Amino acid sequence: MADKPSIPKGTRDFTPLEMARRMHIFDTIRTIFKIHGFLPIETPAMENLSSLMGKYGEEGDKLLFKILNSGDFKGKLTDRELTDTPAGRLGSMISEKGLRYDLTVPFARFVVQHRNEIIFPFKRYQIQPVWRADRPQRGRYREFYQCDVDVIGSNSLLNELELIQIIDEVFAALGLKVVIKLNNRKVLAGIVKMIGEPERMTDITVAIDKLEKIGMEKVKAELEQKGLKPEAIEKLEPVLKMMGTTEEKLDFLEKFLKGSETGLNGLAEVRKLFVYMEADLPGAAVEFDLTLARGLNYYTGSIFEVKSAEMEIGSICGGGRYDDLTGIFGLEGVSGVGISFGADRIYDVLLQLERFPERSELDTTLLFVNFGEQEVQHIIPILGRLRESGITSEIYPDQVKMKKQMNYANSRKIPYVALVGEQEVKDGVVTLKEMESGNQEQLTPAQLVEKLSPAK
Amino acid sequence: MADKPSIPKGTRDFTPLEMARRMHIFDTIRTIFKIHGFLPIETPAMENLSSLMGKYGEEGDKLLFKILNSGDFKGKLTDRELTDTPAGRLGSMISEKGLRYDLTVPFARFVVQHRNEIIFPFKRYQIQPVWRADRPQRGRYREFYQCDVDVIGSNSLLNELELIQIIDEVFAALGLKVVIKLNNRKVLAGIVKMIGEPERMTDITVAIDKLEKIGMEKVKAELEQKGLKPEAIEKLEPVLKMMGTTEEKLDFLEKFLKGSETGLNGLAEVRKLFVYMEADLPGAAVEFDLTLARGLNYYTGSIFEVKSAEMEIGSICGGGRYDDLTGIFGLEGVSGVGISFGADRIYDVLLQLERFPERSELDTTLLFVNFGEQEVQHIIPILGRLRESGITSEIYPDQVKMKKQMNYANSRKIPYVALVGEQEVKDGVVTLKEMESGNQEQLTPAQLVEKLSPAK
């Protein structure tokens, strides 16, 4: 036999078991998006390279999968160009298309391209694979699904509330306990302004993030080492020491940020969101977390991040508000807010915590054993009745040894097997065997349908 | 503003309306696959080029989208190789991966690669996009979905029956009248053997296919022109003239094929399938059609094709039995049978015949008008109750003019609008307006949930 075939590294096949689990996640998410009135879109796997290049930084450009032009891709190039152009640039000369790298840029492109058909505010979701030429490693793939939900064309904080509700509902439906962290870029901007270091937001946030781990003195040393002015560090210290409830933190910051309009605006947004949540999500674990600095280069307001409260793993969902998503394609001034669910990490959490449902929607309920042509003729209409009643049923297609057929039922975890032999055909009944207990009973087709009908 | 962004030719964006329609098709198909016990798999968009090349003929190789190797793709090549190698061959030297061209080859690869985990007979379905560098034209795309269902590892004709049942159920559920055409490659092989032209199956089938259009004399002339021996044409004439019911045609062929074991085996298969169908599908329009010659180069037994009975359009579903799908990857002797639904054509038929459901599952039922902060606070918990009860509801996120909010409801075809002003807050009620009639009534939140709850 030839070598066992394989697939490109960093890509995956999904077997029926994995598909059942993935569909459990995606169906749960989709159902909740739907109930909130979000609408699906899909964009093509291939985008014009010109739509993708320069959108993800220099490093991102290198991670784009380029699609070689069809036909004579080198026809227009001189020998000199072929041999002397560096691979990076030559790649763009022989490829006009690339695989999408995320769902955000295609969404921005979609909004601009279809702006006359879209009804704003546009509440859209999109669940599709993306591709990155990253070095594959455990938990990092070259093809993986993203699951994005955004509202574009509205400044209202009700959109933020809705996304938090969605997060809360999705993880509750999946049976996972999570902590939702909330921050606001404007608050961070206010803080760095008030301490006189408006350009150092990233350094400062990184330092704050380490507070719990390395302690106040080391954080201060690090900030000093990074060139922060001593008086700035001194001013920052009370912020770092800020303790207490969300309410107390917000009160503290209210005083601290006096003098920064942006900071106070951000704080008002955070406050309002907590008021909204009191009305609707008194039980949700939402924390105001100043150290949350996700996507600081494009988020302009609220920032979200979700972590499992039950195991150590990176963020399983996150997002924020961006004031100029579509600007890259020439449409200015459209504000949006969105989050993205990390399906692969959620999968890992559910698997490790054993929270996948034991039986899947996809499982077969009943297998008819195949004893031969006469019996099959009798079974065919019964099978039809069962399926019409929503009972997933099969007949073993080949007339082989009983043992092989029972093995099939066992391997497929089919809970009921129906035996229809000569006598059953004569009596117009079916012998139903429950696999776990081994119990058998004789039923008419109508009784069989009644017994196995899914609970409504 | 910059140029309007665009997508590669032959690819498509799907707007929410198109997505709702596509999901109607895919969900219908998936539900029916599921009830028959078929299980989903997915394979990566990128396959190793070595898995794809040579599987679709020379023409097919040219239609593969190749993915440029990441990093220094030309590093290992000499200048001479770069300049002197023809584009076709050079493409394979700088690309190791390609986008899948269909779902059949990846499925064969999957079966061989996972043969130790798979439970046979393996009933699988797969709904994923494929890519072909074809010249785009009306109805032909470079990215399109295939929707395949196969049973592999069983010779039983019960599998063919099941696929015919699935076809019947899918199109019934979609509200489309179809004709299912059935043929058998072995019968065709028997006929060409019996007339002494065993190598001319394609020519002969093509000619038979034209009978209705051009008449007997012209068909005979064409066969003669193609070099068929006159005595072969003479022997074939009664087959061409064969008329009557399926039963009569089969009886005729039974005599004609005496002497061809293969032909008689094929005929027995067709007969048995019709017997099965009498037990289960007395109403289905299944025709035995000798001119059906789909996929003659790989199908080895049954051949299926489905056409709309209501409009002229090519085949909307088709397939057949293949005895050696996995042989290309080194696993011999695994028989399978499968069909593929043409989602794009089915979409076109449903659209043209106006058979898409008027309201989609995705549509929002109720929109709350936003009159301001006070009212919003009151609405948030009511929204939560509605959504918990499965009623898709939204609040207009921004406090803008009533007219703009009503326009949103109209454009989104939302049938109910809820008005909650100062008085409603005070009275603890909601004013519900039915958009079509304009009727208004005041309801408590509980009455609102009751009224809008989806019928169970």
Side-chain angles (χ1 to χ4, degrees), chain A residues 1 4-8 11-16 19 23 30 34-37 39-48 51 65-68 70-74 79 82-85 87 90-91 94-95 97 99 109-110 112-115 117 119-123 125 131 133 143 145 154-156 158-159 161-162 165 272 275-276 279-280 329-330 361-364 370 373 376-377 380-381 387 390-398 408 411-412, chain B residues 1 4-8 11-16 19 23 30 34-37 39-48 51 65-68 70-74 79 82-85 87 90-91 94-95 97 109-110 112-115 117 119-123 125 131 133 143 145 154-156 158-159 161-162 165 272 275-276 279-280 329-330 361-364 370 373 376-377 380-381 387 390-398 408 411-412:
Chain A
M1 200 180 117
K4 205 173 169 179
S6 65
I7 49 177
T11 70
R12 290 166 290 174
D13 281 329
F14 296 115
T15 62
M19 281 301 290
M23 286 165 84
R30 232 187 299 258
K34 179 235 168 306
I35 212 80
H36 285 263
L39 299 170
I41 68 162
E42 281 187 9
T43 62
M46 304 188 288
E47 292 275 348
N48 290 322
S51 297
F65 279 113
K66 298 188 177 85
I67 294 163
L68 196 60
S70 350
D72 186 12
F73 61 87
K74 62 178 213 173
D79 284 357
L82 275 171
T83 56
D84 293 6
T85 316
L90 184 62
I94 59 180
S95 313
K97 296 179 286 291
L99 293 178
R109 198 255 320 132
F110 180 98
V112 178
Q113 192 173 330
H114 300 272
R115 62 187 179 281
E117 309 149 51
I119 303 154
F120 291 97
F122 184 36
K123 300 170 78 173
Y125 73 87
W131 294 269
E143 172 181 72
Y145 271 72
S154 162
N155 292 304
S156 167
L158 282 174
N159 301 306
L161 171 69
E162 182 144 57
Q165 288 169 333
K272 194 164 169 186
V275 171
Y276 281 159
D280 187 64
F329 293 108
E361 285 285 306
L362 298 172
D363 291 342
T364 291
N370 187 334
E373 274 314 310
V376 164
Q377 301 274 353
I380 290 171
R387 289 171 179 159
I391 302 158
T392 300
S393 337
E394 301 181 41
I395 179 167
Y396 194 91
D398 305 275
Y408 176 83
S411 313
R412 288 278 309 274
Chain B
M1 200 179 119
K4 204 173 169 180
S6 65
I7 50 177
T11 69
R12 292 166 289 175
D13 281 329
F14 295 115
T15 62
M19 281 299 291
M23 286 166 84
R30 232 188 301 258
K34 180 236 167 310
I35 211 80
H36 285 264
L39 299 170
I41 69 163
E42 281 187 9
T43 61
M46 304 188 287
E47 292 275 348
N48 290 322
S51 297
F65 279 113
K66 297 189 178 83
I67 293 163
L68 196 60
S70 348
D72 186 11
F73 60 87
K74 62 178 212 174
D79 284 358
L82 275 170
T83 56
D84 293 7
T85 316
L90 184 62
I94 58 179
S95 314
K97 296 178 286 292
R109 197 255 321 133
F110 180 98
V112 177
Q113 192 173 330
H114 300 272
R115 62 188 178 280
E117 308 149 52
I119 302 155
F120 291 98
F122 184 36
K123 300 169 78 171
Y125 73 85
W131 295 268
E143 173 180 72
Y145 271 72
S154 162
N155 291 306
S156 167
L158 283 175
N159 301 306
L161 172 68
E162 182 144 55
Q165 288 169 333
K272 194 163 168 185
V275 171
Y276 282 158
D280 186 63
F329 292 109
E361 285 284 306
L362 298 172
D363 291 341
T364 292
N370 187 335
E373 274 314 309
V376 163
Q377 302 273 352
I380 290 172
R387 289 171 178 159
I391 302 158
T392 299
S393 338
E394 301 179 42
I395 179 168
Y396 195 90
D398 304 275
Y408 177 84
S411 313
R412 287 278 311 274

Side-chain angles (χ1 to χ4, degrees), chain A residues 312-366:
Chain A
E312 274 296 327
I313 193 169
S315 145
I316 53 179
C317 177
R321 178 171 287 278
Y322 40 81
D323 274 343
D324 192 23
L325 179 69
T326 55
I328 47 173
F329 293 108
L331 183 65
E332 312 279 349
V334 184
S335 182
V337 57
I339 53 173
S340 181
F341 286 86
D344 288 304
R345 285 221 182 122
I346 294 172
Y347 185 101
D348 291 344
V349 173
L350 287 169
L351 194 64
Q352 198 163 325
L353 298 177
E354 298 181 356
R355 299 282 163 78
F356 280 113
E358 206 168 316
R359 280 190 66 77
S360 143
E361 285 285 306
L362 298 172
D363 291 342
T364 291
T365 303
L366 177 65

Side-chain angles (χ1 to χ4, degrees), chain B residues 126-392:
Chain B
Q126 189 170 358
I127 302 178
Q128 288 193 282
V130 302
W131 295 268
R132 296 183 185 176
D134 243 325
R135 189 194 302 271
Q137 58 185 53
R138 207 183 122 73
R140 193 203 279 162
Y141 304 101
R142 292 185 144 191
E143 173 180 72
F144 58 97
Y145 271 72
Q146 287 194 339
C147 186
D148 282 19
V149 56
D150 292 78
V151 188
I152 191 159
S154 162
N155 291 306
S156 167
L157 283 169
L158 283 175
N159 301 306
E160 269 90 338
L161 172 68
E162 182 144 55
L163 295 176
I164 295 171
Q165 288 169 333
I166 285 175
I167 292 169
D168 184 59
E169 290 164 27
V170 162
F171 290 108
L174 291 173
L176 292 178
K177 288 200 182 71
V178 296
V179 178
I180 305 171
K181 296 183 174 222
L182 176 67
N183 196 5
N184 192 298
R185 154 108 187 194
K186 293 176 195 165
V187 173
L188 293 175
I191 292 170
V192 296
K193 189 195 163 197
M194 294 312 294
I195 66 168
E197 294 276 11
E199 306 300 321
R200 308 299 294 271
M201 193 187 304
T202 308
D203 285 343
I204 294 168
T205 328
V206 167
I208 301 182
D209 189 34
K210 291 186 184 161
L211 191 60
E212 216 171 292
K213 218 185 277 170
I214 63 176
M216 179 68 74
E217 287 318 305
K218 283 193 179 156
V219 166
K220 282 164 73 178
E222 187 174 317
L223 287 171
E224 202 171 340
Q225 196 203 328
K226 282 193 173 152
L228 242 74
K229 289 180 293 250
E231 43 305 5
I233 298 176
E234 202 177 315
K235 280 188 192 157
L236 185 63
E237 195 167 342
V239 178
L240 299 182
K241 283 187 169 153
M242 185 175 75
M243 303 278 275
T245 63
T246 292
E247 193 55 35
E248 286 162 350
K249 285 181 193 170
L250 296 180
D251 287 344
F252 172 85
L253 285 172
E254 181 105 28
K255 284 173 211 137
F256 188 85
L257 293 172
K258 277 223 165 83
S260 161
E261 203 190 321
T262 303
L264 290 172
N265 281 344
L267 208 61
E269 291 181 9
V270 175
R271 264 192 207 285
K272 194 163 168 185
L273 262 180
F274 274 97
V275 171
Y276 282 158
M277 284 187 275
E278 260 168 55
D280 186 63
L281 293 167
V286 185
E287 287 176 6
F288 173 64
D289 183 349
L290 210 50
T291 69
L292 174 57
R294 185 189 169 86
L296 276 186
N297 42 343
Y298 46 96
Y299 291 136
T300 51
S302 306
I303 307 173
F304 311 106
E305 191 165 87
V306 183
K307 295 202 162 189
S308 166
E310 300 168 279
M311 67 179 272
E312 274 296 326
I313 193 168
S315 145
I316 53 179
C317 177
R321 179 171 285 278
Y322 40 81
D323 275 344
D324 192 23
L325 179 69
T326 55
I328 47 174
F329 292 109
L331 182 64
E332 312 279 349
V334 184
S335 182
V337 57
I339 52 173
S340 182
F341 286 85
D344 288 304
R345 284 221 181 123
I346 295 172
Y347 186 101
D348 291 344
V349 174
L350 287 168
L351 194 64
Q352 198 162 326
L353 299 176
E354 298 180 358
R355 300 281 163 79
F356 279 113
E358 205 168 316
R359 278 190 68 76
S360 143
E361 285 284 306
L362 298 172
D363 291 341
T364 292
T365 303
L366 176 66
L367 176 75
F368 281 90
V369 173
N370 187 335
F371 287 118
E373 274 314 309
Q374 287 301 324
E375 291 80 3
V376 163
Q377 302 273 352
H378 181 75
I379 289 168
I380 290 172
I382 305 178
L383 259 179
R385 277 177 72 172
L386 286 160
R387 289 171 178 159
E388 263 172 45
S389 310
I391 302 158
T392 299

Side-chain angles (χ1 to χ4, degrees), chain A residues 158-171:
Chain A
L158 282 174
N159 301 306
E160 270 90 339
L161 171 69
E162 182 144 57
L163 295 176
I164 295 171
Q165 288 169 333
I166 286 176
I167 292 168
D168 184 58
E169 290 165 27
V170 163
F171 290 108

